[in-house]
Amino acid sequence: MRGLFVGRFQPFHNGHLKAIEWVLRECSDLIVLVGSSQACYEVENPFTVGERIEMVHDTLKASKLLEKCIILSIPDVNNNALWIAHVNSLVPKYDVVYTNNSLTRKLFQDAGRQVKDIPFFDRLDFDGTKIRKAMLKGTGWQKFVPKEVEKFIEKKKIIQRVQTVATGDKMC
Amino acid sequence: MRGLFVGRFQPFHNGHLKAIEWVLRECSDLIVLVGSSQACYEVENPFTVGERIEMVHDTLKASKLLEKCIILSIPDVNNNALWIAHVNSLVPKYDVVYTNNSLTRKLFQDAGRQVKDIPFFDRLDFDGTKIRKAMLKGTGWQKFVPKEVEKFIEKKKIIQRVQTVATGDKMC
Amino acid sequence: MRGLFVGRFQPFHNGHLKAIEWVLRECSDLIVLVGSSQACYEVENPFTVGERIEMVHDTLKASKLLEKCIILSIPDVNNNALWIAHVNSLVPKYDVVYTNNSLTRKLFQDAGRQVKDIPFFDRLDFDGTKIRKAMLKGTGWQKFVPKEVEKFIEKKKIIQRVQTVATGDKMC
Amino acid sequence: MRGLFVGRFQPFHNGHLKAIEWVLRECSDLIVLVGSSQACYEVENPFTVGERIEMVHDTLKASKLLEKCIILSIPDVNNNALWIAHVNSLVPKYDVVYTNNSLTRKLFQDAGRQVKDIPFFDRLDFDGTKIRKAMLKGTGWQKFVPKEVEKFIEKKKIIQRVQTVATGDKMC
Amino acid sequence: MRGLFVGRFQPFHNGHLKAIEWVLRECSDLIVLVGSSQACYEVENPFTVGERIEMVHDTLKASKLLEKCIILSIPDVNNNALWIAHVNSLVPKYDVVYTNNSLTRKLFQDAGRQVKDIPFFDRLDFDGTKIRKAMLKGTGWQKFVPKEVEKFIEKKKIIQRVQTVATGDKMC
Amino acid sequence: MRGLFVGRFQPFHNGHLKAIEWVLRECSDLIVLVGSSQACYEVENPFTVGERIEMVHDTLKASKLLEKCIILSIPDVNNNALWIAHVNSLVPKYDVVYTNNSLTRKLFQDAGRQVKDIPFFDRLDFDGTKIRKAMLKGTGWQKFVPKEVEKFIEKKKIIQRVQTVATGDKMC
């Protein structure tokens, strides 16, 4: 059985990794779909899609999960009713969708897909917004992310980018 | 004389129907243009364009107005100055635009089109936002919409969709 | 039962009208969907979508078929696998698709839709390419189109446009 | 040495003109790039791109700076990481970017470009938002803009447009 | 009186320059609009838009015509009927269009614009296709283009690019 | 060292597999990028992107190469000069590009990337066009593709799709 797991992964954090480990107990393999792929250099979305794929890839490789996963990406679609069709055109076949997002769940359900919740291990500890706030302060974000993500963020100097983006200047 | 009447119709309500009846007293026929056609599964825009066309169609058929109306749709354009050109490319010829929206009026006027106000019968009673709030509570929305729209909303379980969308989760 | 009938209608001709009459013997109503809506001022596509909707509308009105028809339009989508999803998002619900086009049939069938052929009354006599060639020569095209389309083409001086477009100059 | 100076120019004001004069003391010529070209008929963006180019052109001509400047425009790109590539594809070669916007600076720097600050002559006096507010009141905006811009705004009745847009009605 | 002159300028050649000189005898200034701005690295369109603007700019500067010209660019629009609206939104106001292209002329005329022919000085000698063929052979192209364009093509090694593109390989 | 290998994979054939095996002798891992991702249900492009990813994935898994590969996809971009920027935004970092396509090579080289040829093992035997022609006839295509691709094509009844598409009917 193949699962589908969608997230923005801004950044890929311990909660995501635990969720994938949990899903792979009942699925033989999993499509990890990086959503809102176009969004980057924004307060809510500092990472590019290539960077997010790299974080997911490096972490899953270190966790020995890579061979069970297919990492793909999809941009936002301006018509919510068409999003599922875009997903279905873009990814290999899958049997069940794992999500805790109510709109995502509703759209997949309306399209006749099976959807399951992920029993998130303490959602408060694995919240993207909270992690990005810590990154903005420049401290305390490391504990929320896998070792590989920490290294990646430091090598690419993403903290500095987050702080630049947070000045609120829009482009031009 | 052919009129043009633009609206998002989220949902199509009694105010819209009265407006169309009023316009058809001075126009022989009318283009009913469903705007922001791409918007759906959003708090302000729960219905898909196909659903909105179906609500307009069913109501106008029941009201014996269908033969005088041409129901079409148009997506948003990211450049307001081009919107009128898109409308003009998309619809059959028309003589006068009916709208109470100040931006729509300005754009058509700047393009040299005749624009008329609609004397809205008690705007407070026919306000889309207010109706969507009632739909969210699940009660009291029926009196604002034509019988055919009420049936459509119930058959399609739109109340449930409005409540899902209102959880505020953005996709992925 | 509601049918769906797709065509480019460049122009709307007698074959289209006969097909609609034939379909309406087994359907109570019909969505007439103007495809490739963006294409115009081209050799194969001289008419704008607004003009095509106007030709369909005027003819169906004169034929007393308008009340049974919903005329809508859809642009091309650059991914064939997504086209059906766009159609389904855009139009009211329908039960059966009428088409003689093999790609359209295949796409709707792969999406699980019922598709029926239209027994075209002498396809040779009702071929868009042949009619556009006659329009280019400026003679002999009138017999292939309904009276209302003939009037429309003359009033809008479309013959002159067809001849301009045929010089083969691409824009700029 | 050729510089690149990006702005929305909503409207082109005295601060922009002073900045260009300042840059042209160290550059032999300058690309003046009108950003967010699609934005218009909005509270923050009342002018069309054609109008903005016209204001820049008329002012630079009157200031005898036109021959040293290349005025171009670029729409927003939905992926910030691609914006620099769009700029580089669109404009002639340039050596240095002048901007006080932190996101613009960051993106050009990440792409390996040299970026310089502009010592803005009293930023408070040359702030687009403040000028648009004065335009909305209909008074006191003239002192912030070059003579040619003042004339342009009056001839095109832009004050009336700003006030219409400010009613807050969204299109349809 | 301001003129508008549209071309792809692949490359900008002596015929274009003569045309501009001719137009500037009856116009006080001229918008030179680089069309199909997105097209590049193709057999028919080897140059990027930035390169084309640079060729036009350098030539007009050397010819002392720059101050009378506004050089802008516009991408193709997939709906021919909307192209004029895009042009009008993008450029400053103009009074008359100069073109020998029959589709461009028709579109501007249908939009109510004045259009004039350019008495091309021996069209055979100034034909883009012919010049690109000479560039492909690598010889004999220099006589068709202004000195500045010749230098530009050599400095940027465009001949090599034309020959690469001509192998006919499509991307990926 | 990470490589990048781009192809349309219509279908993924033995030549592609051999190329990947060859590259992985000098690279520790490889990004396999499915290009023209939007193209499908066409004579030259029968497969959807999801199907192509599935064929690549299944084959690499069976060949024990999956853990060294990152399979991603990218749509065509209408401006060739922007394609590399799209690739770079979309994929994790890479060191060298492997391609025999002259346009792809040129674009990556102009962007300063290292590009290497793949010594294709008898190109005639591994040519997509030839394989699609065999698929159209319904016979003799199996020997050109990996076992997993053969199974996939049969299970999904792609031969039937290829034959439908080949009737030449364009949509609507």
Side-chain angles (χ1 to χ4, degrees):
Chain A
M1 192 176 72
R2 185 177 288 154
L4 173 69
F5 177 60
V6 192
R8 285 193 295 118
F9 308 123
Q10 295 273 11
F12 187 78
H13 57 57
N14 291 326
H16 296 129
L17 180 55
K18 286 196 181 180
I20 290 173
E21 288 167 346
W22 184 86
V23 169
L24 282 173
R25 272 177 232 136
E26 61 181 57
C27 287
S28 58
D29 62 342
L30 180 65
I31 299 165
V32 180
L33 187 58
V34 180
S36 299
S37 64
Q38 83 294 336
C40 59
Y41 281 82
E42 300 172 351
V43 172
E44 292 297 301
N45 299 289
F47 299 86
T48 69
V49 58
E51 291 165 351
R52 289 179 271 161
I53 290 172
E54 193 158 344
M55 289 188 286
V56 178
H57 174 268
D58 290 357
T59 304
L60 294 180
K61 187 162 198 173
S63 305
K64 309 285 183 207
L65 297 171
L66 191 58
E67 204 165 344
K68 292 178 164 177
C69 293
I70 305 172
I71 308 165
L72 295 169
S73 70
I74 191 168
D76 285 338
V77 172
N78 82 337
N79 181 327
N80 284 335
L82 291 176
W83 190 72
I84 302 296
H86 279 258
V87 171
N88 288 343
S89 161
L90 189 66
V91 309
K93 72 173 163 43
Y94 57 92
D95 304 293
V96 55
V97 179
Y98 294 86
T99 184
N100 288 349
N101 177 302
S102 58
L103 176 55
T104 303
R105 185 193 302 115
K106 179 74 177 152
L107 289 166
F108 277 109
Q109 284 172 340
D110 284 4
R113 292 285 181 166
Q114 189 193 355
V115 182
K116 290 190 176 183
D117 280 346
I118 302 162
F120 252 109
F121 309 75
D122 190 358
R123 188 164 175 163
L124 290 181
D125 264 4
F126 303 114
D127 173 45
T129 306
K130 188 176 157 189
I131 298 172
R132 287 189 297 274
K133 275 187 188 150
M135 290 173 69
L136 181 56
K137 275 189 288 185
T139 176
W141 55 271
Q142 293 90 340
K143 66 184 167 200
F144 298 117
V145 300
K147 212 71 198 158
E148 293 72 27
V149 172
E150 184 184 343
K151 268 187 242 158
F152 183 84
I153 287 174
E154 276 169 359
K155 192 185 61 188
K156 298 274 292 187
K157 298 188 176 140
I158 304 290
I159 300 300
Q160 185 186 335
R161 186 194 299 170
V162 168
Q163 291 167 346
T164 297
V165 170
T167 60
D169 271 354
K170 280 189 291 187
M171 201 153 45
C172 78
Chain B
M1 193 174 73
R2 185 178 286 155
L4 173 69
F5 177 60
V6 191
R8 284 192 297 118
F9 308 122
Q10 294 273 11
F12 186 78
H13 56 58
N14 291 326
H16 296 129
L17 179 55
K18 285 195 182 182
I20 289 173
E21 288 167 347
W22 184 86
V23 168
L24 282 173
R25 272 177 231 136
E26 61 181 57
C27 286
S28 56
D29 62 340
L30 180 66
I31 299 165
V32 180
L33 188 58
V34 180
S36 298
S37 63
Q38 84 293 337
C40 58
Y41 281 82
E42 301 171 350
V43 172
E44 291 297 302
N45 299 288
F47 298 86
T48 69
V49 57
E51 292 165 350
R52 289 178 273 161
I53 290 172
E54 193 158 343
M55 289 188 285
V56 178
H57 174 267
D58 290 357
T59 305
L60 294 180
K61 186 162 198 174
S63 305
K64 310 286 184 204
L65 297 171
L66 191 57
E67 203 165 345
K68 292 178 164 178
C69 293
I70 304 172
I71 308 166
L72 294 168
S73 70
I74 191 166
D76 285 339
V77 172
N78 81 338
N79 180 328
N80 285 333
L82 291 176
W83 190 73
I84 302 295
H86 278 258
V87 170
N88 288 343
S89 160
L90 189 65
V91 308
K93 71 174 164 42
Y94 57 93
D95 304 294
V96 56
V97 179
Y98 293 86
T99 184
N100 288 349
N101 178 300
S102 58
L103 176 56
T104 303
R105 184 192 303 114
K106 179 73 176 152
L107 288 166
F108 276 110
Q109 284 173 340
D110 284 4
R113 292 285 182 166
Q114 189 192 356
V115 182
K116 290 188 176 184
D117 281 346
I118 303 163
F120 250 109
F121 311 77
D122 192 357
R123 187 160 176 168
L124 290 181
D125 264 5
F126 303 114
D127 173 46
T129 305
K130 187 176 158 188
I131 297 172
R132 287 189 297 274
K133 275 186 189 152
M135 290 172 68
L136 181 55
K137 277 189 288 185
T139 175
W141 56 271
Q142 294 89 341
K143 66 185 168 201
F144 298 118
V145 300
K147 211 71 198 159
E148 292 72 25
V149 171
E150 183 184 343
K151 269 188 243 160
F152 182 84
I153 286 174
E154 276 170 358
K155 192 185 61 190
K156 299 274 291 188
K157 298 186 176 140
I158 303 291
I159 299 301
Q160 187 186 333
R161 185 193 301 169
V162 168
Q163 291 167 347
T164 297
V165 170
T167 60
D169 272 354
K170 278 189 293 185
M171 203 153 45
C172 80
Chain C
M1 192 175 74
R2 184 179 287 155
L4 173 69
F5 177 61
V6 191
R8 285 192 297 118
F9 307 122
Q10 295 272 12
F12 187 78
H13 56 57
N14 291 326
H16 296 130
L17 178 56
K18 285 195 182 181
I20 290 174
E21 288 168 345
W22 183 87
V23 169
L24 283 174
R25 271 176 233 138
E26 61 181 56
C27 287
S28 57
D29 62 341
L30 181 65
I31 299 165
V32 180
L33 187 58
V34 179
S36 299
S37 64
Q38 84 293 336
C40 58
Y41 281 82
E42 301 171 350
V43 171
E44 291 297 302
N45 299 287
F47 298 87
T48 70
V49 57
E51 292 165 351
R52 288 178 272 161
I53 290 172
E54 194 158 343
M55 289 188 285
V56 178
H57 174 268
D58 290 358
T59 305
L60 294 180
K61 186 163 197 172
S63 306
K64 310 286 184 204
L65 297 170
L66 190 58
E67 204 166 343
K68 292 177 164 176
C69 293
I70 304 173
I71 308 165
L72 294 169
S73 71
I74 191 166
D76 284 339
V77 172
N78 82 337
N79 180 328
N80 285 334
L82 291 176
W83 190 73
I84 301 296
H86 279 258
V87 170
N88 289 343
S89 162
L90 188 66
V91 309
K93 71 174 165 41
Y94 58 92
D95 305 292
V96 56
V97 179
Y98 293 87
T99 184
N100 287 348
N101 178 301
S102 58
L103 176 55
T104 302
R105 184 193 303 114
K106 179 75 176 150
L107 289 166
F108 276 109
Q109 283 172 341
D110 284 4
R113 292 286 183 166
Q114 190 192 356
V115 182
K116 290 189 175 181
D117 281 345
I118 302 162
F120 253 108
F121 309 77
D122 191 358
R123 190 164 174 165
L124 290 182
D125 265 3
F126 303 113
D127 172 44
T129 306
K130 187 176 158 189
I131 298 172
R132 288 190 295 275
K133 274 187 189 151
M135 289 172 69
L136 181 56
K137 275 188 287 184
T139 175
W141 56 271
Q142 292 90 342
K143 65 185 168 200
F144 298 117
V145 299
K147 211 73 197 159
E148 293 72 26
V149 172
E150 182 183 345
K151 269 188 240 158
F152 182 84
I153 287 174
E154 276 169 358
K155 191 184 60 188
K156 299 274 291 188
K157 298 186 176 140
I158 303 291
I159 300 301
Q160 186 187 335
R161 185 193 302 170
V162 168
Q163 291 168 345
T164 297
V165 169
T167 61
D169 272 353
K170 278 188 292 187
M171 202 153 45
C172 80
Chain D
M1 192 176 72
R2 184 179 287 154
L4 173 69
F5 177 60
V6 191
R8 284 192 297 117
F9 308 122
Q10 295 273 11
F12 187 78
H13 57 58
N14 290 327
H16 296 129
L17 179 55
K18 286 196 181 180
I20 290 173
E21 289 168 345
W22 183 86
V23 168
L24 282 174
R25 271 177 232 138
E26 61 181 57
C27 286
S28 57
D29 61 341
L30 180 65
I31 299 165
V32 180
L33 187 57
V34 180
S36 299
S37 64
Q38 84 294 334
C40 58
Y41 281 82
E42 300 172 350
V43 172
E44 291 297 303
N45 299 287
F47 298 87
T48 69
V49 58
E51 291 165 351
R52 288 179 272 162
I53 290 172
E54 193 158 344
M55 288 188 287
V56 177
H57 174 269
D58 290 358
T59 305
L60 294 179
K61 186 163 198 172
S63 306
K64 312 284 184 204
L65 297 171
L66 191 56
E67 203 165 344
K68 293 177 163 178
C69 293
I70 304 172
I71 308 165
L72 294 169
S73 70
I74 191 167
D76 284 339
V77 172
N78 81 338
N79 180 328
N80 285 333
L82 291 176
W83 190 72
I84 302 295
H86 279 258
V87 170
N88 288 343
S89 161
L90 189 65
V91 308
K93 71 174 164 42
Y94 57 92
D95 305 293
V96 56
V97 179
Y98 293 87
T99 183
N100 288 349
N101 178 301
S102 59
L103 176 55
T104 303
R105 183 192 305 115
K106 179 74 177 152
L107 289 167
F108 276 109
Q109 283 173 341
D110 284 4
R113 292 285 182 165
Q114 189 192 356
V115 182
K116 290 188 176 184
D117 280 346
I118 302 162
F120 252 107
F121 310 77
D122 191 357
R123 188 163 175 165
L124 290 182
D125 264 6
F126 303 113
D127 173 45
T129 307
K130 188 177 158 188
I131 297 171
R132 288 189 296 275
K133 275 187 189 150
M135 289 172 70
L136 181 55
K137 276 189 287 185
T139 175
W141 56 272
Q142 293 90 340
K143 65 184 167 199
F144 298 117
V145 300
K147 211 72 198 159
E148 293 72 27
V149 172
E150 183 183 344
K151 267 187 243 160
F152 182 84
I153 287 175
E154 276 169 358
K155 191 184 62 189
K156 299 274 291 187
K157 298 188 175 136
I158 303 290
I159 299 301
Q160 186 186 335
R161 186 194 301 170
V162 168
Q163 292 168 345
T164 296
V165 169
T167 61
D169 271 354
K170 280 188 293 189
M171 203 152 46
C172 80
Chain E
M1 192 174 74
R2 184 179 287 155
L4 173 70
F5 177 60
V6 192
R8 285 192 297 118
F9 308 122
Q10 295 273 12
F12 187 78
H13 56 58
N14 291 325
H16 296 129
L17 180 55
K18 286 196 181 181
I20 290 173
E21 288 167 346
W22 184 85
V23 168
L24 282 173
R25 272 176 231 138
E26 61 181 56
C27 286
S28 57
D29 61 341
L30 179 66
I31 299 165
V32 180
L33 187 58
V34 180
S36 298
S37 64
Q38 84 293 335
C40 58
Y41 281 81
E42 300 171 352
V43 172
E44 291 297 303
N45 299 287
F47 298 86
T48 69
V49 58
E51 291 164 351
R52 288 178 273 161
I53 290 172
E54 194 159 342
M55 289 188 285
V56 178
H57 174 267
D58 290 356
T59 306
L60 294 180
K61 187 163 197 173
S63 306
K64 310 285 183 205
L65 296 171
L66 191 57
E67 203 165 345
K68 292 177 164 178
C69 293
I70 304 173
I71 308 165
L72 294 168
S73 71
I74 191 167
D76 285 339
V77 172
N78 81 338
N79 180 329
N80 285 334
L82 291 176
W83 190 73
I84 302 294
H86 278 258
V87 171
N88 289 343
S89 161
L90 188 65
V91 308
K93 71 175 164 41
Y94 57 93
D95 304 294
V96 55
V97 179
Y98 293 87
T99 184
N100 288 348
N101 178 301
S102 58
L103 176 55
T104 302
R105 184 192 303 114
K106 178 74 176 153
L107 288 167
F108 276 110
Q109 284 172 340
D110 284 4
R113 292 284 182 166
Q114 190 193 354
V115 182
K116 290 188 175 183
D117 280 346
I118 302 163
F120 251 109
F121 309 77
D122 191 357
R123 187 163 176 164
L124 290 182
D125 264 5
F126 303 114
D127 173 46
T129 305
K130 186 177 159 188
I131 298 172
R132 287 189 297 274
K133 275 187 189 150
M135 290 172 69
L136 181 56
K137 276 188 289 184
T139 175
W141 55 272
Q142 294 90 340
K143 66 184 167 199
F144 298 117
V145 300
K147 211 71 198 159
E148 293 71 27
V149 172
E150 183 184 343
K151 269 187 242 160
F152 182 85
I153 286 174
E154 276 169 358
K155 191 185 61 188
K156 300 274 291 186
K157 298 186 175 138
I158 303 290
I159 300 301
Q160 185 186 336
R161 185 193 302 169
V162 168
Q163 291 167 345
T164 297
V165 170
T167 60
D169 270 354
K170 278 188 293 186
M171 202 152 45
C172 80
Chain F
M1 193 175 72
R2 184 178 288 154
L4 173 69
F5 177 60
V6 192
R8 285 193 296 118
F9 307 122
Q10 295 272 13
F12 187 78
H13 56 59
N14 291 326
H16 296 128
L17 179 56
K18 286 196 180 180
I20 289 173
E21 288 167 345
W22 183 86
V23 169
L24 282 173
R25 271 177 233 137
E26 61 181 56
C27 286
S28 57
D29 62 341
L30 180 65
I31 299 165
V32 181
L33 187 57
V34 180
S36 300
S37 63
Q38 83 294 335
C40 58
Y41 281 82
E42 300 171 351
V43 172
E44 291 298 302
N45 299 288
F47 298 86
T48 70
V49 58
E51 290 164 352
R52 288 179 272 161
I53 290 172
E54 194 158 343
M55 289 187 286
V56 178
H57 174 268
D58 290 358
T59 305
L60 294 179
K61 187 164 197 173
S63 306
K64 310 285 183 206
L65 298 170
L66 191 58
E67 204 165 343
K68 293 177 164 178
C69 293
I70 305 172
I71 308 164
L72 294 169
S73 70
I74 191 167
D76 285 338
V77 172
N78 82 336
N79 180 328
N80 284 334
L82 291 176
W83 190 72
I84 302 295
H86 278 258
V87 170
N88 289 342
S89 161
L90 189 66
V91 309
K93 69 173 166 43
Y94 58 91
D95 304 293
V96 55
V97 179
Y98 293 86
T99 184
N100 288 349
N101 178 301
S102 58
L103 176 56
T104 303
R105 185 193 302 114
K106 178 75 177 151
L107 288 167
F108 276 110
Q109 284 172 340
D110 284 4
R113 293 284 182 168
Q114 190 192 355
V115 182
K116 291 189 175 181
D117 280 346
I118 302 162
F120 252 108
F121 311 76
D122 190 357
R123 189 165 175 163
L124 290 181
D125 264 4
F126 303 113
D127 172 45
T129 306
K130 187 176 158 188
I131 298 171
R132 288 189 296 275
K133 275 187 190 152
M135 290 173 69
L136 180 55
K137 275 188 288 183
T139 175
W141 55 271
Q142 293 90 340
K143 65 184 167 201
F144 298 117
V145 300
K147 211 72 197 158
E148 293 72 25
V149 172
E150 183 184 344
K151 269 188 242 157
F152 182 84
I153 287 174
E154 276 169 358
K155 191 185 61 188
K156 299 274 290 187
K157 298 187 176 137
I158 303 291
I159 300 301
Q160 184 186 337
R161 185 193 300 170
V162 168
Q163 292 167 344
T164 297
V165 170
T167 59
D169 270 353
K170 278 189 292 186
M171 202 151 45
C172 81

